[in-house]
Each structure stands twice: as structure tokens, then as C-alpha cells.
Amino acid sequence: MAKSLQAIDFKQTAWKSCNYCSNHFFKTPNLFLKHLREKHCTVEGGSFVCHYGYNGVCSSLPLDGVSDKDYEAHVEKYHVSQSMKEAEEKWNIFSAAQNLPAVLNDPSRGRQSNLFTKKWGDSFVDRQLVPPSSLLPRIDWTHLELYCKKIGKRFRRHTRLGSVGSTHDFKAPTSSSISPSSSISSLQIIDTSNLRTINENVLNETTIRDIPQVFLKQDLDFSQPETFALVFLGLDINSDDDHQELQDKLSHYLDIVEIQISKQISQKSSSFFHAMTSQDTIMEEMSKAVRNVRKLREKLCLIDNTLVRQSLNIISCERIKTNKQMVLEKLRLMATVHQTQPMIQVLLGTQDYVAALDLISTTQEILAQELSGIHCFRHLPHQLKELEKLIDKMLTTDFEKYTTSDLNRPLIEDDYRVLDEDKIVSIISGLLRKKNFTFIDSYKDEAITTIRALIKQLVIEVIASSDVEICLTGSGEEAQSLSLQEWILLLEAATASLIKLLKRVRLIHDVMLHVADSSAGRNIEGDNVSYLSDSETFLTITDHNYIENKLTNLLQSVGNYCHERCANLVSNQSLEQYSGTLEEMEKLSQIVEEFCSSCEEVIGIKSIPLMTAFKAQGTRFSQKFHSERKSKLSLLLDNERWKPAEVPGEFQKMVNYIAKGSFMWTKIEDNQANEPSIAAPMLMVGDEPFALVGAALILVQIVSEYCRCSSHLPIIAVQMGRNVIDLLRTFNSRCCQLVLGAGAVHVAGLKMITISNLALVSRALQLVLWLIPHVKNHFNNLVANGNAGSLSGWATVEKDFLSHIKEIENKMLMIVGQLVNQQLLNWDARPPIPSQSFRNISRHFVKLHEAIAQVLPSDQIHCVFRTVHKNFKDKLREQLLRNNIINNGTPQHGTVISELTFYLETLRTLKAMPVDELSDETMDDIWIK
């Protein structure tokens, strides 16, 4: 009750203090609201999130927050007034409770078959035996015997006196005199028949309805003040009589319940008698079955004595005859087995290991199946087993000797024969017969050891021929001071020797495979090589497939190991110390490709370690190649003065080759042809002249170098293609920075960026646009031949160049347009004619024509002046409208006509546009009609 009063008081004064901040008290709700906004609220993206609650989480406000107005309403409703929710109570030990799901889901009780047939109560949960405490002494009956004898007499006298008294004065001993823990023991000793009689007489007159309903409720909870008050109604704490009366009343209710339970049990007594009757019926049927079995056995004994015994004697005689014949056959078989060991020696002398092993196996089967238990042959199985181990050891030793001698003999060109073929066939057949398939792994290990020794020997030979003093490392092939030429020579010698060794390994592989095919009876039709007869097939299909897989793995492992050792040579750190030339990389590529193709032809599959290592070297070479030329181009652009440069003759020839789709022209070939080199003011691309800066010519030369390099090294064509795209992007962006961005004024020291500079940049970009399709086709052909798809990014580069050219053209038009607009703003239709404004406009057009005439082609010049002319007419039309001059034949109109005549004559003189576009009628559209 006190707890409830505290909660109510807290509900009414919830705003006077903060539940989660110590020493915070408030006089008014507004102060409490301000405290919540400052200490227990955060603003996230304009939304207010309330944190006034346990662990900083408010259970009544969404985590994603609300608006400012909604937040004030929330605090007023849930935290200030507390009208919808009581204050949170902290958990304590009195909050714990056991509910029905917790009892039903107890994992320690296992599965319950009678779960839903039980009645709820204190016996619903199975009782667990509590083990006795080791700290308490064990109390047995002997400790209480003296007490029971002493108290027994008093209890019986008390019982007799109680039976004489009135019924309402009787007090049950079970609740008043005897504790619950000792009631059972007391009832076993004391005669309580009179007591039970009296209780039953009294209780039979009462029913379950006499018990108050509060005790029959399923949710009886004395912790509730209401329930406690109903049970202990009118109880005086200081009165012993009230205590005794209440105890008697509760004991009386308990006795009523026990009597009702006894009645329920007595009503089920008929079921017990029915079960006993069924037991008697079953016993009678069992007795009848026993008698029938006894009669059946007597009949069977009679049949056995009269009909069966004579027939069994005939069968016994026949069995004796058969056994004697079997003994004779055993003796003959023993004589044959006795000759086994001499015959094995003869077969081993002729190196017929398969026949010797077959004989041993057959003899062991006979001894195990036919001659089992023969005393004279008790040591023969062990002897045959030891002999078989000896043959196995002989085969392994002979195979290892043969392998070592065959793999380490000199590698002679065109010496592709099997050494002592009959001997190796016999050894392999014996090993296969023994199902000792580890010889394939042994051969693989020996081949790998031979390859390692061969590489080491080649390294020693290269070092011995070198003039530099070199110290060998542990691997024998990582001499860090060899030159690049020496590394290439070492790789060339290693690949040639390894191919010869691989062919020798392939020969032994073929012999092993043919012997395995013959042993499994799978000789290919048309194959004249047959090492065994059909009667000597002993390999199963599973074993044959296993051997085929191991032999395939043998070739692949040896071939991959050769590639790995060569890859170690190619990817060695010493190669990174030298900047290899294109010729050296081409030589290296030739060696790698020849070795890879020869190795693929020998082992039947394509190995990639060496090619991967070479690709890594090629990538490193392409990166260095690209970085050098990119730096060179950037340096040229930074020093470029953006003036026309003369075109050497070799550049013109190079462009002519590119126009034909070939990038293989070099200056060395031109010098060998003794053709004179004449410089020209412009570069001719077909019939179109190009006035270019020096950086643009160098760009074409660098791009040609990329293309020639990718032709010599197709393996790095993809990287080279990407590098070309990056180089073109660099050229385009740097030109934009230097010219359009006026970077050349600060970098190259130019006074200003002129229209001539812009025209030269535009022409250089147009040359690159002409070059891109040829470069794109070149790289796509190389990549397609390597089945690697096509390069992407060309379309983006072309788009960037076109955009840049358009920006340059707009820049030129903007410069001229500003000058023309400035002159027209100061112009008025009055003498003198031509006016100074039109003279200045003509002068600007002349300068524009002089700046672009020697750079841009005539079509582009016409396009530029056509745009300038159109802008001029638009500005003039606006000026005429502003000055209110119309086509009405007035003097002002005549002045305008004279000005336009001078303007058109200037354009005709410059030949800036086609003649038909400069007629007088073309200016009629300037008048507003």
C-alpha cells in the first residue's frame, strides 16, 4: 500500500525533480521543460529526439524525432503532467516472478507427456530431490526414537481426552502440535484411528462450499492487501486466542479438502477390480497354450524316430565319400604349392616381375582358402609375403636408378629415344601389378630435382663467363649483379634445355601410359605398341583412370614447374635495375612465346606462370615507357611558344605511313634508304595542310612510338592503348590550361594569348582527331588478335577534343564579337564615310584574317567569318533600332548603305567568305520591316 502511495505522489509531482540527474529540483513546470530540452534532447537534421528515459531512451517518442511543436506537446503529455503514463519503477528483487510459459519451457525438465492433463497447483512442476548438505549431520530414526517413546504416552492420553470433549473444542494435531516435516513420522507411530473417526464424522456434515471463495481462486496472492485483509479479517495481533482460532479454522478447511479427495478416489475403485479380473483371464489362456505346445513336441519326437533317422544314415555315407575325394585333391594341390618358391626364383631371373607377383598372389589365395590350417605350410605365407616385399623394394630401387640415369644424361639435340625400353616396361608393369602407384610421384619429384639442378648449372655457367665477381645465393639462380643481356642469355639457354628435358619426360610418360593401357586391356586400335598380352590384364577401370589422372598431373606439374623457374628468372629483381630497350623486351618476348608454345605442344596444356611474369615485366616497361614520354610531352608543352614550326621531312613521311594504316616507319629506316630530308612550312595530311606547333609534331612521333612498341610487344598492347588514351587526354587538358586558361603567359612567358595562338591549338587538336581513328584501329587489331576484346575510351577522347576545339572557336568569336560590339555602340549614321567605327571593324577583321589565314583551312575560315558576319548584322540591327534608322531613303539610310558597302568590300578583299554570300542583297535583313 505504501508503495502505491509513493507512485501516486510521484505521478502528481513528476515535474519537480529529474529522475536521471542528481540534485536537479524545479519550482515550476516551465523550468522542468527547459531542463529536458537542454539536457535530455538532441536535434538531428531539424528533428527533436527525446532522451528522457532509462538508458537515455524515451519509450513514447519515435527514434527518428519530431518537430519542435510536437516535442513540446510530447513533454507536456508524458513527462510534465504524467496523465497517460506512471513513472518508471526501477527493478528490484520483488519484481521477479515465475509465469506459466517459463515453467512449461524449462529446458532441464525434458519432454512431458502429461503436461496438458495436469491441474495447476504446487504439484504441477516436478519436484526435484535436493541432495543432503555436507555441512549438516545425517539424522535417522534412532535419533528420534527416545523422543517418540516419551511423547507417545502423552499424545494417546491427549487423544482419549479429546474424544470425550465436544466437537467444536477439538483441535487437529496435524496443524497445532506437529510440524509439517514430522507429521508423517508421527502418524506411523501413534494410533490415530479415534482421531480420524471423529474428524470424518465432523467433516462428513460439511462440503466444499463451506470453504470461503477466496481460497479457491487461482490467483491467490497474499502480497495483495485486499486478499490479505479477507483471510485475516478482524485479527488482533496481540491476542493469542485469535491466533489459535484462526489456525483451527484453516486446519478445518484443509481437512475438508482431504476428505473430498478421498471420496474421489473411492469412486474409482471399480477400475481396480476390473484390472484384476483381466489378469486372471490372461493366466488361463497361458495355461492352455502350454498344454498345446507339449502335445506338439510329442508328435515331432514320434516322426523323428520312425521316418528321419534311416534317411540321415544314407546322407552321412555320401558325405564321407566326398570328404575323402576332397582330401585327395588337397594332397595334389599341396604338391603343386611346394614348387612355388623355385618357380618364383626362375621368373625373377628373367625379370618377369608380373608373372612372379601373380604366382605369389595365387599361392597366397590358395593357402588362405584351400590349404588353411595345413601344418607343413604354416611358414609359407610369411615367406611369400617377405618375398613380395623384396620384389617391391627391388622394383622401387630399379625404377629410381633408371629415372636418375635417364633424366641426368646429356641433353643432345634430336635424341628423343627411351633408354632401355624393355627394362623400364618390365619395372613399370611390376609396379602396376603391385598397385604401387607412388612411382609416378617419385618420377615427378626426380624430374623437378633435375630441373632445379639444370637451372643452377646454367646460372653457374653464365656467372663463370661474366667478368664481374658475383656471389651465389642459396637458390643458385638469383645472382643480383648480372646484366640484362646476361639474364636474357640465361633465359634463352634455360628454355632450350628445359624443352629438351620436357620432351624426355613426355617419352617416359607415354611409356607409362601405354603399359597402363595394356595392363587394363585398353590398347588403342592401330597402335602397334603392346607391352602385355590380353591374359595379363590386372588393372581395374578405376585404377586405370587414377593412373591417367596422375600421369596428366605429372606432365602438368613438371611443365608448370619449368614455367615457374623461368618466371623467377624473368621477374627477378635484377631486371628492375636496368631500363630495358624495346629490342631487349622484344627478344625477351620472343623467348617467352617460343617456350610457351613448345611447352604447350609437349604437355598438352597452356601454362601461365611464365607468361604472367613476362606480363608483369611488360607492364613495368610500359609504365616506364609512358612516364618518360608523358614527362617529355609535358615539358615540351610548358616551353611551347605557340608559334608555327617547320615540319621536317621525316615527320611528313611518318604521317604518310600513318595515313596508309602503318606505324612501322622509323628514322633509322629512312636513313638507310639515303632519302634526303627537306623541311616544309606545313604538314600535308592528304591534300590538307596543317600549320602546327612543335609540340603537336612531337605528339604524333610519340604516339607512333607507342604503336610500334605495341606491335613488337602485343602482350602489352592493352596497357599501351590505355597509355595512349591517357597521353592524349594529358595533351588536351594541358593545351586547354596553357591557352584557354592563359597558363602559357606564366609558364612560357607569353605577353598574351592571341587569336593566332588559339588557331594553332585548334589546328593541333584537329590533327589529333585525324590521328585517333588510325591509332584506335591499330590497337583494336592487336587486342582482337590476342582475343582480349577491344579498348574503350576512344569515344570519350574524341568527344573531349571536339569540345575543346569548339571552345577555342567560341573564344575567337567572343574576342572579335566584343571588339565589333564596342565599335558599334559608339557608331552613329553621320559623315564622314566610312566612319571610324567601321574602319576599326574592318581593321579587326583584317587582323583576324591574317591570324587564321595561314593556320586554318579555308572552309573553317569561311565558317568563322560567317559566324562573325552574322553577329555583326545582329548587333548592327540593334543599333539601327536604337537610333530609329529605317529603310526609307533618308540621308541616314544612305549613310548606312555607304558604310555597309565599305564593310562588304573589305570582306570581299579578304575573301573571307564565298562571293555569293557577300552580295549587297545579303544585308537586307538588317532592316526591321
Side-chain angles (χ1 to χ4, degrees):
M1 184 68 68
K3 193 174 185 180
S4 301
L5 292 175
Q6 292 176 2
I8 295 171
D9 183 70
F10 182 85
K11 175 180 177 181
Q12 294 174 353
T13 61
W15 56 267
K16 290 188 176 181
S17 63
C18 180
N19 297 334
Y20 304 99
C21 298
S22 60
N23 300 326
H24 281 75
F25 302 93
F26 311 96
K27 295 182 178 180
T28 63
N30 292 333
L31 295 177
F32 179 67
L33 178 62
K34 181 179 179 182
H35 171 74
L36 292 185
R37 181 179 290 274
E38 293 176 352
K39 300 296 183 180
H40 300 282
C41 175
T42 59
V43 181
E44 298 176 1
S47 299
F48 291 79
V49 180
C50 180
H51 296 288
Y52 186 72
Y54 189 66
N55 287 332
V57 178
C58 179
S59 60
S60 59
L61 185 65
L63 293 177
D64 52 358
V66 296
S67 63
D68 189 7
K69 183 177 180 181
D70 293 337
Y71 172 78
E72 291 183 358
H74 161 76
V75 173
E76 178 67 22
K77 182 177 181 180
Y78 291 97
H79 299 315
V80 177
S81 63
Q82 287 287 321
S83 60
M84 297 299 293
K85 179 181 179 183
E86 293 184 359
E88 295 181 351
E89 296 182 3
K90 294 187 178 179
W91 190 92
N92 53 45
I93 58 175
F94 299 101
S95 301
Q98 185 183 37
N99 53 13
L100 180 59
V103 175
L104 298 178
N105 297 327
D106 186 2
S108 62
R109 297 181 57 242
R111 185 174 181 181
Q112 304 178 44
S113 60
N114 57 350
L115 177 66
F116 298 99
T117 60
K118 284 187 175 183
K119 293 184 178 180
W120 182 255
D122 58 347
S123 62
F124 185 85
V125 180
D126 297 338
R127 296 186 177 182
Q128 302 292 334
L129 295 178
V130 179
S133 175
S134 60
L135 303 177
L136 299 176
R138 184 175 181 182
I139 306 299
D140 55 9
W141 180 252
T142 59
H143 294 81
L144 303 176
E145 186 175 4
L146 181 62
Y147 172 79
C148 291
K149 289 181 180 179
K150 179 179 178 181
I151 203 66
K153 295 179 181 180
R154 299 179 183 177
F155 184 78
R156 285 192 293 272
R157 184 171 64 251
H158 174 74
T159 304
R160 286 194 301 271
L161 292 176
S163 62
V164 178
S166 60
T167 305
H168 67 274
D169 293 331
F170 174 77
K171 297 180 181 180
T174 56
S175 60
S176 63
S177 302
I178 305 176
S179 63
S181 60
S182 61
S183 62
I184 298 176
S185 301
S186 300
L187 290 176
Q188 292 177 353
I189 302 171
I190 303 171
D191 186 8
T192 60
S193 59
N194 294 329
L195 177 63
R196 290 191 181 125
T197 303
I198 294 173
N199 285 336
E200 290 177 1
N201 291 333
V202 174
L203 295 173
N204 284 337
E205 299 176 4
T206 61
T207 62
I208 198 70
R209 291 191 298 272
D210 296 334
I211 302 175
Q213 292 297 320
V214 67
F215 293 103
L216 303 180
K217 293 182 178 180
Q218 294 184 358
D219 56 348
L220 181 62
D221 186 5
F222 285 99
S223 63
Q224 298 294 332
E226 297 82 1
T227 305
F228 188 86
L230 290 175
V231 174
F232 301 100
L233 182 65
L235 178 64
D236 187 0
I237 300 176
N238 298 321
S239 176
D240 295 337
D241 295 337
D242 290 345
H243 292 173
Q244 189 67 33
E245 183 180 356
L246 178 61
Q247 185 174 3
D248 293 343
K249 186 187 298 183
L250 295 177
S251 300
H252 180 65
Y253 294 158
L254 179 62
D255 293 338
I256 292 174
V257 173
E258 291 179 351
I259 290 300
Q260 294 298 325
I261 292 174
S262 300
K263 287 181 180 181
Q264 292 293 330
I265 294 174
S266 64
Q267 292 176 1
K268 302 295 182 178
S269 61
S270 60
S271 300
F272 294 102
F273 290 107
H274 178 71
M276 294 300 297
T277 304
S278 301
Q279 252 338 75
D280 295 339
T281 304
I282 292 172
M283 292 303 296
E284 290 179 3
E285 293 178 356
M286 289 293 293
S287 300
K288 186 184 296 184
V290 169
R291 290 193 298 269
N292 292 335
V293 170
R294 187 180 293 112
K295 290 180 181 180
L296 179 60
R297 287 181 176 177
E298 292 176 355
K299 291 179 181 180
L300 290 175
C301 184
L302 179 62
I303 293 173
D304 181 64
N305 293 330
T306 57
L307 298 177
V308 177
R309 291 189 179 276
Q310 296 297 327
S311 300
L312 290 177
N313 290 332
I314 297 174
I315 296 174
S316 178
C317 293
E318 179 64 25
R319 183 176 299 171
I320 292 172
K321 178 182 178 183
T322 303
N323 290 338
K324 290 181 178 180
Q325 290 178 350
M326 291 174 62
V327 170
L328 180 60
E329 294 295 331
K330 292 287 184 183
L331 293 173
R332 292 174 181 172
L333 186 59
M334 289 171 63
T336 303
V337 171
H338 187 67
Q339 302 296 324
T340 298
Q341 286 181 317
M343 188 62 185
I344 291 174
Q345 297 296 334
V346 173
L347 293 174
L348 291 178
T350 59
Q351 294 185 347
D352 195 351
Y353 298 106
V354 175
L357 292 172
D358 286 339
L359 181 57
I360 292 174
S361 177
T362 303
T363 304
Q364 287 176 337
E365 291 178 1
I366 292 173
L367 290 174
Q369 299 175 5
E370 304 293 337
L371 301 179
S372 177
I374 303 300
H375 186 71
C376 62
F377 289 146
R378 64 184 182 277
H379 300 300
L380 185 57
H382 181 68
Q383 293 172 356
L384 293 175
K385 188 175 182 180
E386 292 297 327
L387 189 58
E388 188 175 8
K389 291 182 180 179
L390 177 62
I391 295 174
D392 192 9
K393 187 175 182 180
M394 291 172 56
L395 289 170
T396 304
T397 304
D398 291 345
F399 182 78
E400 290 177 355
K401 291 180 179 179
Y402 177 86
T403 300
T404 303
S405 61
D406 181 61
L407 292 175
N408 291 282
R409 59 193 174 96
L411 296 172
I412 303 174
E413 193 70 29
D414 299 331
D415 183 15
Y416 305 123
R417 59 183 179 84
V418 180
L419 183 65
D420 295 334
E421 185 174 1
D422 294 336
K423 180 179 179 180
I424 188 61
V425 168
S426 177
I427 294 173
I428 293 173
S429 300
L431 291 170
L432 293 177
R433 180 62 183 82
K434 278 290 296 175
K435 296 190 182 299
N436 183 5
F437 304 144
T438 58
F439 72 94
I440 301 176
D441 296 328
S442 301
Y443 186 81
K444 179 177 68 175
D445 295 339
E446 184 63 28
I448 290 175
T449 303
T450 304
I451 293 170
R452 189 182 298 114
L454 178 62
I455 297 294
K456 186 180 295 185
Q457 180 63 32
L458 291 173
V459 172
I460 294 173
E461 292 176 359
V462 172
I463 292 175
S465 62
S466 177
D467 297 333
V468 182
E469 184 177 353
I470 299 173
C471 179
L472 278 177
T473 60
S475 62
E477 59 180 272
E478 296 183 359
Q480 302 297 319
S481 300
L482 291 178
S483 65
L484 183 58
Q485 289 294 335
E486 289 172 338
W487 276 111
I488 294 176
L489 291 176
L490 174 59
L491 180 63
E492 186 175 10
T495 53
S497 300
L498 289 176
I499 287 298
K500 296 177 184 177
L501 185 61
L502 278 176
K503 291 181 178 180
R504 187 170 295 176
V505 172
R506 180 56 188 261
L507 288 176
I508 300 300
H509 165 273
D510 293 342
V511 171
M512 293 179 183
L513 183 59
H514 284 131
V515 173
D517 291 340
S518 301
S519 302
R522 296 180 60 180
N523 287 326
I524 303 174
E525 295 182 2
D527 191 355
N528 298 325
V529 180
S530 180
Y531 297 104
L532 299 174
S533 61
D534 294 338
S535 61
E536 294 176 330
T537 57
F538 45 78
L539 283 182
T540 62
I541 297 177
T542 303
D543 291 339
H544 184 269
N545 294 335
Y546 178 73
I547 291 172
E548 277 188 335
N549 293 334
K550 288 186 74 67
L551 289 175
T552 302
N553 182 55
L554 165 66
L555 276 181
Q556 295 177 2
S557 300
V558 174
N560 289 335
Y561 187 76
C562 292
H563 274 262
E564 290 173 2
R565 302 302 286 186
C566 292
N568 290 339
L569 296 178
V570 172
S571 60
N572 196 278
Q573 295 180 359
S574 296
L575 295 179
E576 300 179 6
Q577 300 176 2
Y578 305 97
S579 56
T581 62
L582 178 60
E583 291 74 15
E584 291 172 338
M585 293 300 298
E586 185 177 4
K587 178 64 175 178
L588 188 62
S589 173
Q590 182 181 0
I591 295 173
V592 171
E593 290 178 357
E594 289 179 356
F595 178 75
C596 290
S597 60
S598 300
C599 187
E600 182 179 358
E601 182 180 355
V602 173
I603 66 176
I605 63 170
K606 187 174 183 179
S607 297
I608 62 172
L610 179 57
M611 189 61 69
T612 302
F614 178 69
K615 283 184 178 180
Q617 290 292 342
T619 301
R620 190 178 296 114
F621 171 79
S622 65
Q623 291 174 351
K624 188 174 183 180
F625 184 92
H626 178 56
S627 62
E628 291 176 353
R629 281 147 183 82
K630 188 175 180 180
S631 300
K632 177 181 177 181
L633 180 63
S634 298
L635 184 61
L636 288 173
L637 289 173
D638 291 341
N639 296 324
E640 180 61 57
R641 304 291 297 178
W642 302 104
K643 294 181 179 180
E646 289 189 352
V647 181
E650 55 267 17
F651 281 90
Q652 182 63 57
K653 294 177 181 179
M654 178 176 59
V655 171
N656 294 338
Y657 270 84
I658 294 174
K660 298 176 182 178
S662 174
F663 290 88
M664 302 310 295
W665 179 89
T666 60
K667 189 174 181 180
I668 299 175
E669 296 175 354
D670 189 45
N671 292 335
Q672 292 176 353
N674 294 325
E675 295 181 3
S677 178
I678 302 175
M682 292 189 181
L683 178 69
M684 297 300 298
V685 179
D687 297 333
E688 184 178 357
F690 278 82
L692 301 170
V693 294
L697 296 174
I698 299 300
L699 174 65
V700 176
Q701 182 182 12
I702 293 175
V703 172
S704 299
E705 292 177 1
Y706 277 87
C707 295
R708 288 197 301 273
C709 181
S710 61
S711 298
H712 291 291
L713 298 174
I715 195 171
I716 60 173
V718 175
Q719 290 87 345
M720 283 296 184
R722 296 195 184 105
N723 292 341
V724 170
I725 294 174
D726 180 63
L727 185 72
L728 295 179
R729 286 174 176 167
T730 302
F731 179 80
N732 185 36
S733 62
R734 192 59 183 156
C735 288
C736 182
Q737 295 170 3
L738 293 173
V739 180
L740 282 180
V745 175
H746 305 285
V747 176
L750 297 181
K751 294 181 179 181
M752 64 177 64
I753 303 300
T754 64
I755 293 179
S756 178
N757 299 141
L758 294 172
L760 286 171
V761 175
S762 175
R763 202 56 176 155
L765 297 178
Q766 292 174 13
L767 177 64
V768 175
L769 281 177
W770 171 85
L771 182 64
I772 285 177
H774 299 281
V775 179
K776 177 182 176 182
N777 293 334
H778 175 80
F779 280 101
N780 284 341
N781 292 333
L782 290 176
V783 174
N785 292 334
N787 297 322
S790 60
L791 289 172
S792 59
W794 297 108
T796 305
V797 172
E798 291 180 344
K799 183 178 179 181
D800 293 342
F801 272 82
L802 289 172
S803 177
H804 191 185
I805 293 172
K806 188 64 176 177
E807 290 179 6
I808 292 174
E809 184 177 343
N810 292 337
K811 184 69 174 180
M812 291 189 296
L813 295 175
M814 182 188 69
I815 294 173
V816 177
Q818 291 176 351
L819 295 174
V820 171
N821 189 28
Q822 183 179 0
Q823 296 297 327
L824 288 177
L825 288 176
N826 300 325
W827 172 80
D828 193 7
R830 65 181 59 183
I833 299 174
S835 64
Q836 186 63 37
S837 297
F838 269 79
R839 290 178 183 274
N840 292 336
I841 290 173
S842 299
R843 187 179 303 110
H844 292 322
F845 283 1
V846 171
K847 290 182 179 180
L848 173 63
H849 188 270
E850 291 177 353
I852 66 176
Q854 301 300 322
V855 179
L856 299 179
S858 58
D859 293 340
Q860 190 171 358
I861 293 174
H862 293 169
C863 182
V864 171
F865 273 94
R866 189 176 291 113
T867 305
V868 172
H869 180 59
K870 179 179 180 300
N871 294 335
F872 168 79
K873 292 196 295 183
D874 293 338
K875 297 298 181 180
L876 181 61
R877 185 183 302 109
E878 295 176 1
Q879 187 66 15
L880 293 175
L881 182 62
R882 189 180 300 112
N883 295 333
N884 196 22
I885 301 175
I886 59 176
N887 187 7
N888 56 0
T890 61
Q892 282 188 326
H893 172 261
T895 302
V896 173
I897 295 299
S898 300
E899 296 278 20
L900 292 178
T901 302
F902 172 76
Y903 166 78
L904 292 176
E905 187 61 29
T906 302
L907 294 181
R908 295 189 189 100
T909 305
L910 295 176
K911 298 181 179 179
M913 295 173 60
V915 178
D916 55 347
E917 296 181 13
L918 296 176
S919 61
D920 296 338
E921 290 78 9
T922 58
M923 302 299 294
D924 293 341
D925 54 352
I926 66 172
W927 305 104
I928 304 300
K929 297 181 181 178

